[in-house]
Amino acid sequence: MKLALVVLLASLPAAVAAPIKVLLVDGQNNHAWKATSPVIKKILEDSGKFTVDVATSPAPKTGQIESFKPKFADYQVVVSNYNGEPWGDETKAAFSDFVRKGGGFVSVHAADNAFPEWKDYNRMIGVGGWGDRNEKDGPFVVFKDGIIIKSSKPGAGGGHGSQHDFLVVTREPSHPIVAGLPPEWLHVKDELYHRLRGPAEGMTILATAYSAPAQGGTGENEPMLMVTTFGEGRCFHTTLGHGVEAVQCVGAATVLQRGVEWAATGKVTQPVPADFPTADHTSSRK
Ligand code: ZN
């Protein structure tokens, strides 16, 4: 019996690790979350690294949001596709506690519009937009001459010009999420968020995009991919992914897969796929 067990264990490939348990939260968003959440779930599961459960909140304006109580602690990382009513105090406390104790958090696109009044959440995302965010919520943050520039000037946080293809430029090539990616890659037509502002405490900008005035942009290199820590927890923030087409960009999907793994474990074991976009060509998987 003992010998059989040893033989069995020896035959298991050493590289096979248990899948990372992901909780995707959605249910309210001014975006097409019913369309994008299944795509986000599939992208993560197609990597072979994750199992994904979805926690969908009650619909808005039903007076039911207080009943939304996902079991965050059952997971290694929470991915948010949620931009809606404030969660109840109990749920907010459970979420803060989850990340503070080492749980991972990933904010996708308009999730950085959510919870303008929730201090812990804004610490996790670093910067956000809309929701009456302004100078009271922290500086504007852009990237200039190789460094992060913070400006406390007054003004509303959040905005974007017209949707278009744009170059995503790596700024921290040694960070595991973006290590090995091309220094610049063309993202498919998406909203290029600008004028994000927030506490930006301990925030590292992994990648930026130039917000072209010709597209209604700011003329600044705006943060696109960011990481922060909150307590023991790691947080990854991607501004990419307005709709299904943007989520299906191989670049956006790859950084999401890698960002979720990093938030959960602090490492990235996923290679850069052969069909990753280049500086000249977008790449999508339908
Ligand atoms: Zn959007």
Side-chain angles (χ1 to χ4, degrees), residues 14 121 139 158 175 193 206 239 268:
Y121 187 82
H175 192 281
Y193 273 6
L206 304 184
T239 61
V268 172

Side-chain angles (χ1 to χ4, degrees), residues 172-220:
E172 285 288 334
S174 63
H175 192 281
I177 295 174
V178 292
L181 266 50
E184 299 184 345
W185 52 273
L186 196 58
H187 178 44
V188 302
K189 184 177 171 182
D190 199 351
E191 288 171 350
L192 194 167
Y193 273 6
H194 61 216
R195 294 198 187 95
L196 298 179
R197 66 188 313 163
E201 282 174 41
M203 183 177 82
T204 302
I205 297 177
L206 304 184
T208 61
Y210 178 67
S211 177
Q215 300 284 356
T218 57
E220 301 282 359

Side-chain angles (χ1 to χ4, degrees), residues 144-170:
K144 198 170 262 176
D145 301 326
I147 55 167
I148 294 179
I149 303 291
K150 298 179 182 180
S151 160
S152 58
K153 67 185 171 193
H160 57 77
S162 56
Q163 291 193 41
H164 60 289
D165 298 355
F166 54 85
L167 272 179
V168 177
V169 180
T170 300

